[in-house]
Amino acid sequence: MTRALLLLSLLVAMAPPAEAQSRRAPARPPGPRRVEVGVGGGVAGGLSLGTRDASLVSNNTAGSPFRLFATDTRLAPAPVIEGRVGYHVTRRLTVEGVMTVGRPELTTSLSGDAEGAPAVDATESVTEYVITGGALWRFATDARRWTPFVSGGAGVARHVHEDQSLIESGVDSYVGGGLIYPLGSSRASAPRSGLRLDARLHLLSGGIAEGAGLAPRGAITGSIFFTF
Amino acid sequence: MMRPVAAWLLALGLVVLGASPASAYLQLSLTLRGQVTVIKWNQTPVRWFSSRAEAPGVTAAQFQSAANAAFGTWEAVPAATIAFQYAGFTSATPSDDDDGLSVLGFESHPDMDRTLAATGFTIDLFSGAIVESDIFFNTAFDWSTSGAANAFDLQSVATHEIGHFLGLGHSALGETELQAGGGRRVIAAASVMFPIAFGRGITTDRVLQPDDIAGVSNTYPAGDFAQDTGALLGRVRLGGRGVFAAHVEAFNLRTGDLVGGFSLNQEGEFAIRGLSPGLYAVRVEPLDDASTDSFFDDPGTDVNFRATLSDRVVAVPKGGSSASIDVTVPSK
């Protein structure tokens, strides 16, 4: 996956500039750049997956729970890489698909054993793929300075466990915002390349978060993008 | 033509204040012609008879009704195919072994002052198939079908014994404490197949626990059970060697289901099958909540180690097995 994203970014970088093309064909002014491709990286925040007791049934008429041991499970913060493809519907509105890949550590703290077994943190690594579709709205159309935006969307989060024997899929939805900074610009169209900073709040339900309700987590990413 | 070789093989009892260890679900098995063979019914529905014997406070009709309800509890497990057919009252008794009739009923065994009930089998020693199973309920104790506070609940005890009737051994999913006068008192359990009964007036064992359901489903799997569930594999190690008969508990971090198993060879290897796919925490403990011989004939059961929580979270896949984990336990 990482290799595919790098290849895509190289292809975009090697494409001849649109300005040069227009010099070769002066009779045809360039159309608006509508397709945007971006790659970057960042950090996905931790995710609490809930607490649960391993319980027996007590020897009484109520059958009340007897705790054998307690568990507290969470997904640790982890670096992610991000790939993005967007389409500029208007100068302010972009629809886009985003894929992030990370490898967070899943940790379950085991404690409070009824027979005094020492508490431990049980761990495993999971590979996380989040694929979402969404929309982005720019608050300004001046392509020469930092431009704030808001975004939102939803998709699927897949978690592949350490030995690749178990794959869990849940629904990931997000809202966020950020800033876009042009590296090259034209008044007539979107910047031909630029930097983008994103801050998002993700809500995960189902999959690895099954039983934990709507599990929130933050994510911050930075990326470089190209339009053509 | 294969002639069943009858053997009065096993008698598994549910004890009160008795000495019996506990561990997660265990299928009864025999070594036949060098092969470990799980004993089970090969044909269903399994016909059973109710004896006409009565006990103080429990009529023959009430006994039959409670036993029928207990059979129904096992039959209702969706992932298991086992079915039963009530064949009527009989003058035969549970002690009439090898008569071709599977009989449940009261019997007086005042000498067995710690045994509430017991199940015996006749096994086809060629195939390992159960051909007859009988259960007696000891009238040395007080019984009730209504949950009366001063008597043992007949349906709860029948549910346990019918687990044996189906080929399940004892489960160790429970905690006990030593009694001042000897024997053990169960504090709590997570399996109907725990070998020590709850107290008088308690009816919670009328309901199967995940450990019981995994056991019967794995013994009599329905449809896609094997494809819909997975197995957790591993080894229990102590000082570089395997531990035999350690009790291994698998806890599903999402559902809260607790299912147990044992390390069943000298390498300390275990395989807990019939688990819902998902993430599991693993705990290992010695069989020290009852006498080890209620689980294994093998005298080599190792109980000289301490309870241990594994430092690995285990992913159990659908229709497959987890990667094998090693759990290293410290000696006592």
Side-chain angles (χ1 to χ4, degrees):
Chain A
M1 180 60 217
T2 306
R3 194 178 304 153
L5 288 174
L6 286 175
L7 180 62
L8 185 59
S9 62
L10 278 174
L11 287 173
V12 172
M14 290 165 62
E19 206 172 302
Q21 289 178 345
S22 66
R23 275 202 296 270
R24 283 197 296 269
R28 296 180 61 192
R33 297 182 181 90
R34 290 195 178 274
V35 177
E36 178 180 311
V37 177
V39 292
V43 176
L47 182 63
S48 173
L49 300 175
T51 60
R52 189 180 284 277
D53 287 350
S55 295
L56 312 179
V57 178
S58 293
N59 185 7
N60 56 42
T61 52
S64 53
F66 172 91
R67 191 176 73 183
L68 188 60
F69 59 90
T71 71
D72 182 357
T73 303
R74 60 202 174 275
L75 207 58
V80 295
I81 60 170
E82 177 182 278
R84 191 176 62 249
V85 176
Y87 182 78
H88 295 200
V89 179
T90 68
R91 294 182 70 187
R92 289 181 182 271
L93 178 65
T94 300
V95 292
E96 60 185 6
V98 183
M99 179 172 183
T100 60
V101 182
R103 195 163 167 75
E105 192 165 74
L106 180 80
T107 301
T108 299
S109 297
L110 308 173
S111 61
D113 188 84
E115 293 186 81
V120 298
D121 281 347
T123 60
E124 71 149 352
S125 291
V126 299
T127 304
E128 178 182 62
Y129 302 91
V130 181
I131 302 171
T132 54
L136 177 149
W137 180 264
R138 290 174 176 80
F139 287 109
T141 57
D142 186 341
R144 292 174 300 179
R145 58 183 174 83
W146 287 103
T147 303
F149 67 86
V150 291
S151 62
V156 63
R158 288 172 73 83
H159 293 88
V160 181
H161 292 273
E162 204 163 69
D163 55 5
Q164 302 192 355
S165 59
L166 180 66
I167 299 173
E168 298 180 289
S169 296
V171 175
D172 182 280
S173 53
Y174 70 90
V175 292
L179 295 168
I180 292 172
Y181 183 76
L183 294 178
S185 65
S186 158
R187 280 186 177 280
S189 63
R192 64 176 63 99
S193 64
L195 300 176
R196 173 170 157 179
L197 299 176
D198 278 81
R200 296 192 188 108
L201 172 67
H202 290 260
L203 296 171
L204 179 62
S205 63
I208 201 168
E210 185 75 46
L214 216 50
R217 69 190 304 197
I220 296 175
T221 59
S223 59
I224 184 169
F225 67 85
F226 303 89
T227 59
F228 54 93
Chain B
M1 187 178 75
M2 182 178 289
R3 176 181 166 274
V5 177
W8 189 248
L9 177 71
L10 295 165
L12 291 169
L14 182 63
V15 301
V16 53
L17 305 180
S20 318
S23 114
Y25 86 79
L26 181 66
Q27 292 170 303
L28 297 176
S29 60
L30 290 172
T31 300
L32 302 177
R33 300 185 301 282
Q35 297 281 327
V36 175
T37 305
V38 172
I39 67 167
K40 58 186 284 192
W41 295 92
N42 280 352
Q43 292 181 327
T44 63
V46 179
R47 286 162 54 86
W48 66 279
F49 294 82
S50 183
S51 91
R52 293 193 175 90
E54 298 186 342
V58 180
T59 66
Q62 287 173 321
F63 175 88
Q64 187 276 334
S65 177
N68 198 54
F71 275 113
T73 298
W74 288 100
E75 197 173 76
V77 174
T81 57
I82 192 70
F84 305 98
Q85 181 181 42
Y86 173 58
F89 285 104
T90 178
S91 56
T93 70
S95 293
D96 296 334
D97 54 302
D98 199 19
D99 59 1
L101 305 180
S102 292
V103 180
L104 281 70
F106 285 118
E107 285 184 348
S108 176
H109 293 276
D111 52 318
M112 303 171 77
D113 61 350
R114 287 185 175 175
T115 301
L116 285 167
T119 303
F121 301 92
T122 302
I123 310 290
D124 179 335
L125 291 181
F126 284 103
S127 66
I130 302 171
V131 295
E132 179 188 335
S133 181
D134 303 285
I135 303 172
F136 78 78
F137 296 80
N138 192 350
T139 56
F141 298 91
D142 295 323
W143 294 97
S144 167
T145 57
S146 61
N150 60 348
F152 288 98
D153 182 56
L154 182 62
Q155 185 178 330
S156 294
V157 176
T159 304
H160 173 99
E161 294 303 327
I162 291 168
H164 293 320
F165 183 99
L166 290 168
L168 296 180
H170 280 143
S171 167
L173 280 179
E175 294 295 326
T176 63
E177 61 185 3
L178 285 169
Q179 296 281 92
R184 286 182 172 271
R185 173 187 174 275
V186 61
I187 301 169
S191 172
V192 166
M193 297 311 295
F194 191 73
I196 304 175
F198 281 153
R200 291 172 174 80
I202 296 174
T203 61
T204 48
D205 272 350
R206 293 182 180 188
V207 179
L208 299 180
Q209 303 278 348
D211 184 66
D212 309 305
I213 292 168
V216 71
S217 301
N218 196 38
T219 308
Y220 302 94
D224 295 331
F225 177 74
Q227 288 73 45
D228 290 342
T229 60
L232 193 158
L233 309 181
R235 296 188 306 175
V236 181
R237 312 286 289 172
L238 171 60
R241 63 174 173 80
V243 178
F244 173 70
H247 181 222
V248 184
E249 298 160 322
F251 176 65
N252 188 312
L253 294 169
R254 309 281 161 66
T255 66
D257 288 354
L258 197 55
V259 178
F262 299 89
S263 57
L264 292 175
N265 60 28
Q266 297 303 324
E267 284 71 47
E269 293 173 323
F270 62 85
I272 306 176
R273 304 187 190 282
L275 299 177
S276 301
L279 296 175
Y280 285 80
V282 177
R283 180 179 185 268
V284 178
E285 65 174 0
L287 280 178
D288 58 3
D289 279 303
S291 66
T292 55
D293 59 5
S294 70
F295 296 95
F296 300 104
D297 290 335
D298 194 312
T301 300
D302 192 341
V303 296
N304 190 31
F305 63 93
R306 285 181 285 169
T308 301
L309 295 161
S310 170
D311 62 0
R312 290 283 307 277
V313 174
V314 184
V316 173
K318 184 177 181 179
S321 299
S322 72
S324 181
I325 63 164
D326 276 6
V327 182
T328 301
V329 296
S331 60
K332 280 183 177 172

